[in-house]
Amino acid sequence: QSDLSQEEAQMLISYLDEGGRVMLFTDYIASGTMENLLSVTAHMGLTVGQGLIVEGDSSMSLRGYAYYLLPGLNSHDITQPLIDGGYYALVPLAQPMEETGESEAQVTFLMTTSDQAYAKAAGYDMETTQREEGDLSGPFYVGAASQLDQARLVWFTSAGLLDDSLNSLVSGGNHNLALGAMNWMCEQTENIA
């Protein structure tokens, strides 16, 4: 709903520097907002791109809802149990995420749209989901794990990822993804899925 204060952001950065672990789920972040929160993610090598993602490949979105993404899962300790179990993650109303290139953190992107995806710069204010001139082209990343020394950050650019009704549409894949992320942050090796 609102940004962190500068003091809160610095507390989180200091916590990470001491080996802290942060899991973050965000709704759409408009340009020029949430700058203090984004200073925390930038410390771990990540930031948001512009726009709200619409999937152009109908096999990688919920039927009839091109902004409810079924992204490809990339190999990582968090996602491998889902890949092995044939699970999907359903990611609604997601925003692209990008690596800043200004951190020593090791970033692994967990989920990727197709190259037919595009981002609507107007975000929630878009008037159509149809592709228009000026829309940014994919593929886009919508989840990432970042490690800097002992610090770990897992970030998904869709707060709806934990919605129970959406989770049921993918046979528990979303909750398994979140639990896998918790396992990785706590350095547990047991596969939840």
Side-chain angles (χ1 to χ4, degrees):
Q1 298 292 322
S2 60
D3 197 6
L4 303 174
S5 68
Q6 286 186 342
E7 292 77 14
E8 289 168 332
Q10 189 53 56
M11 287 173 65
L12 279 174
I13 290 170
S14 298
Y15 168 69
L16 287 164
D17 285 342
E18 294 296 321
R21 313 290 165 92
V22 173
M23 184 182 289
L24 184 61
F25 297 85
T26 55
D27 280 320
Y28 183 74
I29 299 173
S31 180
T33 65
M34 301 287 180
E35 292 181 356
N36 295 325
L37 175 63
L38 292 177
S39 72
V40 177
T41 64
H43 185 70
M44 297 298 290
L46 290 164
T47 192
V48 288
Q50 290 302 302
L52 200 64
I53 300 170
V54 177
E55 180 56 75
D57 181 343
S58 61
S59 70
M60 294 187 70
S61 66
L62 192 62
R63 185 183 178 109
Y65 297 91
Y67 42 86
Y68 278 57
L69 313 175
L70 292 166
L73 299 173
N74 304 324
S75 183
H76 184 275
D77 289 347
I78 293 171
T79 54
Q80 199 59 49
L82 280 81
I83 295 169
D84 293 344
Y87 285 89
Y88 292 92
L90 179 57
V91 185
L93 301 168
Q95 185 170 16
M97 59 175 21
E98 302 170 353
E99 196 166 357
T100 64
E102 298 175 1
S103 171
E104 294 181 7
Q106 179 183 355
V107 172
T108 303
F109 290 110
L110 303 175
M111 297 186 291
T112 310
T113 69
S114 79
D115 58 6
Q116 296 178 45
Y118 47 95
K120 308 293 286 184
Y124 290 144
D125 296 326
M126 65 177 146
E127 295 180 2
T128 177
T129 59
Q130 297 301 311
R131 189 171 196 139
E132 300 174 292
E133 187 175 343
D135 291 345
L136 299 176
S137 296
F140 301 108
Y141 304 113
V142 294
S146 176
Q147 186 168 0
L148 181 62
D149 298 322
Q150 295 302 307
R152 293 186 179 196
L153 168 75
V154 177
W155 183 14
F156 300 103
T157 58
S158 171
L161 195 71
L162 295 179
D163 181 270
D164 285 338
S165 61
L166 297 183
N167 180 61
S168 67
L169 293 175
V170 286
S171 304
N174 285 8
H175 287 179
N176 281 336
L177 180 66
L179 289 169
M182 289 289 284
N183 262 2
W184 178 72
M185 288 199 300
C186 298
E187 300 183 66
Q188 301 294 316
T189 57
E190 181 180 350
N191 289 343
I192 294 290

mmCIF file of all heavy atoms in Angstrom, residues 1 6 10 17 21 26 40-41 49 60 86-87 91 96-98 108 117 123 129 138 141 144 178 187-188 191:
data_model
loop_
_atom_site.group_PDB
_atom_site.id
_atom_site.type_symbol
_atom_site.label_atom_id
_atom_site.label_comp_id
_atom_site.label_asym_id
_atom_site.label_seq_id
_atom_site.Cartn_x
_atom_site.Cartn_y
_atom_site.Cartn_z
ATOM 1 N N GLN A 1 0.811 -1.206 0.000
ATOM 2 C CA GLN A 1 0.000 0.000 0.000
ATOM 3 C C GLN A 1 0.848 1.260 0.000
ATOM 4 O O GLN A 1 0.470 2.268 -0.577
ATOM 5 C CB GLN A 1 -0.932 0.000 1.222
ATOM 6 C CG GLN A 1 -1.916 -1.147 1.251
ATOM 7 C CD GLN A 1 -2.977 -1.040 0.146
ATOM 8 O OE1 GLN A 1 -3.431 0.034 -0.157
ATOM 9 N NE2 GLN A 1 -3.322 -2.161 -0.455
ATOM 10 N N GLN A 6 12.876 5.368 4.795
ATOM 11 C CA GLN A 6 14.316 5.187 4.563
ATOM 12 C C GLN A 6 14.939 4.392 5.700
ATOM 13 O O GLN A 6 15.819 3.558 5.482
ATOM 14 C CB GLN A 6 15.011 6.541 4.423
ATOM 15 C CG GLN A 6 14.737 7.232 3.107
ATOM 16 C CD GLN A 6 15.561 8.500 2.938
ATOM 17 O OE1 GLN A 6 16.099 9.054 3.910
ATOM 18 N NE2 GLN A 6 15.680 8.957 1.707
ATOM 19 N N GLN A 10 16.835 0.791 5.388
ATOM 20 C CA GLN A 10 18.213 0.602 5.851
ATOM 21 C C GLN A 10 18.304 -0.526 6.873
ATOM 22 O O GLN A 10 19.283 -1.274 6.900
ATOM 23 C CB GLN A 10 18.769 1.909 6.443
ATOM 24 C CG GLN A 10 20.257 1.849 6.754
ATOM 25 C CD GLN A 10 21.091 1.389 5.563
ATOM 26 O OE1 GLN A 10 21.030 1.977 4.487
ATOM 27 N NE2 GLN A 10 21.877 0.325 5.741
ATOM 28 N N ASP A 17 22.778 -7.786 5.314
ATOM 29 C CA ASP A 17 24.241 -7.788 5.434
ATOM 30 C C ASP A 17 24.730 -8.681 6.566
ATOM 31 O O ASP A 17 25.885 -9.118 6.570
ATOM 32 C CB ASP A 17 24.767 -6.364 5.634
ATOM 33 C CG ASP A 17 24.743 -5.540 4.352
ATOM 34 O OD1 ASP A 17 24.650 -6.140 3.258
ATOM 35 O OD2 ASP A 17 24.829 -4.301 4.441
ATOM 36 N N ARG A 21 17.369 -13.172 5.712
ATOM 37 C CA ARG A 21 16.626 -13.783 4.616
ATOM 38 C C ARG A 21 15.311 -13.013 4.447
ATOM 39 O O ARG A 21 14.619 -12.750 5.433
ATOM 40 C CB ARG A 21 16.329 -15.254 4.902
ATOM 41 C CG ARG A 21 17.552 -16.067 5.407
ATOM 42 C CD ARG A 21 18.579 -16.264 4.320
ATOM 43 N NE ARG A 21 19.870 -16.700 4.795
ATOM 44 C CZ ARG A 21 20.261 -17.975 4.902
ATOM 45 N NH1 ARG A 21 19.442 -18.946 4.586
ATOM 46 N NH2 ARG A 21 21.473 -18.261 5.295
ATOM 47 N N THR A 26 5.175 -8.675 -4.361
ATOM 48 C CA THR A 26 4.743 -7.298 -4.598
ATOM 49 C C THR A 26 3.663 -7.236 -5.668
ATOM 50 O O THR A 26 3.673 -7.999 -6.624
ATOM 51 C CB THR A 26 5.923 -6.409 -5.054
ATOM 52 O OG1 THR A 26 6.547 -6.992 -6.207
ATOM 53 C CG2 THR A 26 6.942 -6.242 -3.945
ATOM 54 N N VAL A 40 16.189 -1.851 -1.274
ATOM 55 C CA VAL A 40 16.495 -3.138 -0.637
ATOM 56 C C VAL A 40 16.716 -4.202 -1.714
ATOM 57 O O VAL A 40 17.698 -4.959 -1.661
ATOM 58 C CB VAL A 40 15.355 -3.553 0.324
ATOM 59 C CG1 VAL A 40 15.641 -4.933 0.918
ATOM 60 C CG2 VAL A 40 15.172 -2.513 1.416
ATOM 61 N N THR A 41 15.823 -4.257 -2.701
ATOM 62 C CA THR A 41 15.981 -5.258 -3.760
ATOM 63 C C THR A 41 17.233 -4.961 -4.597
ATOM 64 O O THR A 41 17.924 -5.886 -5.020
ATOM 65 C CB THR A 41 14.742 -5.333 -4.670
ATOM 66 O OG1 THR A 41 14.561 -4.096 -5.359
ATOM 67 C CG2 THR A 41 13.497 -5.675 -3.864
ATOM 68 N N GLY A 49 10.985 -3.790 -13.855
ATOM 69 C CA GLY A 49 10.887 -3.135 -15.142
ATOM 70 C C GLY A 49 9.542 -2.437 -15.249
ATOM 71 O O GLY A 49 8.738 -2.442 -14.309
ATOM 72 N N MET A 60 0.722 -20.428 -22.415
ATOM 73 C CA MET A 60 1.464 -20.026 -21.222
ATOM 74 C C MET A 60 0.690 -19.008 -20.386
ATOM 75 O O MET A 60 1.271 -18.203 -19.656
ATOM 76 C CB MET A 60 2.841 -19.490 -21.611
ATOM 77 C CG MET A 60 3.733 -20.566 -22.215
ATOM 78 S SD MET A 60 5.423 -20.047 -22.497
ATOM 79 C CE MET A 60 6.049 -19.896 -20.821
ATOM 80 N N GLY A 86 6.016 -32.110 -12.322
ATOM 81 C CA GLY A 86 5.113 -31.695 -13.386
ATOM 82 C C GLY A 86 4.129 -30.610 -12.975
ATOM 83 O O GLY A 86 3.047 -30.489 -13.546
ATOM 84 N N TYR A 87 4.496 -29.809 -11.968
ATOM 85 C CA TYR A 87 3.621 -28.736 -11.501
ATOM 86 C C TYR A 87 3.787 -27.475 -12.353
ATOM 87 O O TYR A 87 4.830 -27.259 -12.977
ATOM 88 C CB TYR A 87 3.962 -28.350 -10.058
ATOM 89 C CG TYR A 87 3.498 -29.337 -9.010
ATOM 90 C CD1 TYR A 87 4.321 -30.390 -8.619
ATOM 91 C CD2 TYR A 87 2.262 -29.193 -8.392
ATOM 92 C CE1 TYR A 87 3.921 -31.284 -7.649
ATOM 93 C CE2 TYR A 87 1.846 -30.081 -7.413
ATOM 94 C CZ TYR A 87 2.680 -31.126 -7.050
ATOM 95 O OH TYR A 87 2.275 -32.006 -6.084
ATOM 96 N N VAL A 91 0.748 -17.172 -12.160
ATOM 97 C CA VAL A 91 1.248 -15.885 -11.683
ATOM 98 C C VAL A 91 0.375 -14.766 -12.255
ATOM 99 O O VAL A 91 0.514 -14.407 -13.423
ATOM 100 C CB VAL A 91 2.725 -15.694 -12.099
ATOM 101 C CG1 VAL A 91 3.289 -14.421 -11.495
ATOM 102 C CG2 VAL A 91 3.567 -16.900 -11.692
ATOM 103 N N PRO A 96 7.494 -7.178 -14.904
ATOM 104 C CA PRO A 96 8.833 -7.686 -15.198
ATOM 105 C C PRO A 96 9.827 -7.338 -14.090
ATOM 106 O O PRO A 96 9.696 -6.302 -13.439
ATOM 107 C CB PRO A 96 9.224 -6.954 -16.492
ATOM 108 C CG PRO A 96 7.966 -6.395 -17.053
ATOM 109 C CD PRO A 96 7.053 -6.176 -15.890
ATOM 110 N N MET A 97 10.781 -8.208 -13.875
ATOM 111 C CA MET A 97 11.884 -7.882 -12.968
ATOM 112 C C MET A 97 13.187 -7.970 -13.748
ATOM 113 O O MET A 97 13.285 -8.681 -14.745
ATOM 114 C CB MET A 97 11.900 -8.794 -11.737
ATOM 115 C CG MET A 97 12.019 -10.247 -12.018
ATOM 116 S SD MET A 97 12.168 -11.305 -10.527
ATOM 117 C CE MET A 97 11.529 -10.362 -9.190
ATOM 118 N N GLU A 98 14.166 -7.206 -13.292
ATOM 119 C CA GLU A 98 15.438 -7.094 -14.000
ATOM 120 C C GLU A 98 16.593 -7.148 -13.009
ATOM 121 O O GLU A 98 16.448 -6.760 -11.849
ATOM 122 C CB GLU A 98 15.499 -5.763 -14.762
ATOM 123 C CG GLU A 98 14.381 -5.560 -15.766
ATOM 124 C CD GLU A 98 14.334 -4.148 -16.331
ATOM 125 O OE1 GLU A 98 15.088 -3.273 -15.841
ATOM 126 O OE2 GLU A 98 13.531 -3.912 -17.257
ATOM 127 N N THR A 108 19.439 -15.667 -9.685
ATOM 128 C CA THR A 108 18.886 -16.703 -10.550
ATOM 129 C C THR A 108 17.413 -16.392 -10.777
ATOM 130 O O THR A 108 16.651 -16.278 -9.807
ATOM 131 C CB THR A 108 19.011 -18.097 -9.911
ATOM 132 O OG1 THR A 108 20.371 -18.364 -9.606
ATOM 133 C CG2 THR A 108 18.473 -19.172 -10.848
ATOM 134 N N ALA A 117 5.427 -12.674 -24.987
ATOM 135 C CA ALA A 117 4.833 -11.820 -23.960
ATOM 136 C C ALA A 117 5.197 -10.361 -24.233
ATOM 137 O O ALA A 117 6.208 -10.061 -24.870
ATOM 138 C CB ALA A 117 5.326 -12.238 -22.577
ATOM 139 N N GLY A 123 0.199 -0.240 -16.995
ATOM 140 C CA GLY A 123 -0.047 -1.046 -15.805
ATOM 141 C C GLY A 123 -1.525 -1.341 -15.619
ATOM 142 O O GLY A 123 -2.222 -1.723 -16.562
ATOM 143 N N THR A 129 -5.850 -5.401 -23.547
ATOM 144 C CA THR A 129 -4.764 -6.369 -23.393
ATOM 145 C C THR A 129 -4.134 -6.713 -24.740
ATOM 146 O O THR A 129 -3.169 -7.466 -24.798
ATOM 147 C CB THR A 129 -5.259 -7.662 -22.721
ATOM 148 O OG1 THR A 129 -6.307 -8.225 -23.520
ATOM 149 C CG2 THR A 129 -5.754 -7.400 -21.314
ATOM 150 N N GLY A 138 8.849 -9.325 -24.587
ATOM 151 C CA GLY A 138 9.458 -10.314 -23.705
ATOM 152 C C GLY A 138 10.558 -11.080 -24.396
ATOM 153 O O GLY A 138 10.939 -10.736 -25.513
ATOM 154 N N TYR A 141 11.062 -11.913 -16.744
ATOM 155 C CA TYR A 141 11.208 -12.709 -15.525
ATOM 156 C C TYR A 141 10.214 -12.206 -14.486
ATOM 157 O O TYR A 141 9.998 -10.998 -14.349
ATOM 158 C CB TYR A 141 12.629 -12.590 -14.975
ATOM 159 C CG TYR A 141 13.691 -12.964 -15.974
ATOM 160 C CD1 TYR A 141 14.569 -12.006 -16.482
ATOM 161 C CD2 TYR A 141 13.823 -14.274 -16.427
ATOM 162 C CE1 TYR A 141 15.542 -12.344 -17.406
ATOM 163 C CE2 TYR A 141 14.797 -14.624 -17.358
ATOM 164 C CZ TYR A 141 15.653 -13.646 -17.836
ATOM 165 O OH TYR A 141 16.615 -13.987 -18.754
ATOM 166 N N ALA A 144 12.584 -14.414 -8.778
ATOM 167 C CA ALA A 144 14.047 -14.537 -8.721
ATOM 168 C C ALA A 144 14.498 -14.910 -7.320
ATOM 169 O O ALA A 144 13.833 -14.597 -6.324
ATOM 170 C CB ALA A 144 14.713 -13.234 -9.153
ATOM 171 N N ALA A 178 6.128 -21.468 -3.045
ATOM 172 C CA ALA A 178 6.420 -20.634 -1.883
ATOM 173 C C ALA A 178 7.116 -21.435 -0.786
ATOM 174 O O ALA A 178 8.070 -20.960 -0.159
ATOM 175 C CB ALA A 178 5.140 -20.004 -1.353
ATOM 176 N N GLU A 187 17.713 -23.160 4.148
ATOM 177 C CA GLU A 187 18.733 -24.157 3.815
ATOM 178 C C GLU A 187 18.307 -25.566 4.195
ATOM 179 O O GLU A 187 19.099 -26.377 4.680
ATOM 180 C CB GLU A 187 20.081 -23.789 4.438
ATOM 181 C CG GLU A 187 20.586 -22.443 3.937
ATOM 182 C CD GLU A 187 21.941 -22.071 4.478
ATOM 183 O OE1 GLU A 187 22.919 -22.770 4.130
ATOM 184 O OE2 GLU A 187 22.027 -21.092 5.233
ATOM 185 N N GLN A 188 17.016 -25.866 3.946
ATOM 186 C CA GLN A 188 16.498 -27.211 4.104
ATOM 187 C C GLN A 188 16.561 -27.902 2.742
ATOM 188 O O GLN A 188 16.350 -27.275 1.718
ATOM 189 C CB GLN A 188 15.054 -27.174 4.597
ATOM 190 C CG GLN A 188 14.873 -26.459 5.918
ATOM 191 C CD GLN A 188 15.541 -27.171 7.062
ATOM 192 O OE1 GLN A 188 15.440 -28.401 7.170
ATOM 193 N NE2 GLN A 188 16.236 -26.449 7.908
ATOM 194 N N ASN A 191 12.387 -31.972 -0.287
ATOM 195 C CA ASN A 191 11.506 -31.468 -1.334
ATOM 196 C C ASN A 191 10.066 -31.468 -0.858
ATOM 197 O O ASN A 191 9.495 -32.522 -0.588
ATOM 198 C CB ASN A 191 11.609 -32.350 -2.600
ATOM 199 C CG ASN A 191 12.933 -32.168 -3.293
ATOM 200 O OD1 ASN A 191 13.650 -31.214 -3.059
ATOM 201 N ND2 ASN A 191 13.248 -33.102 -4.169
#
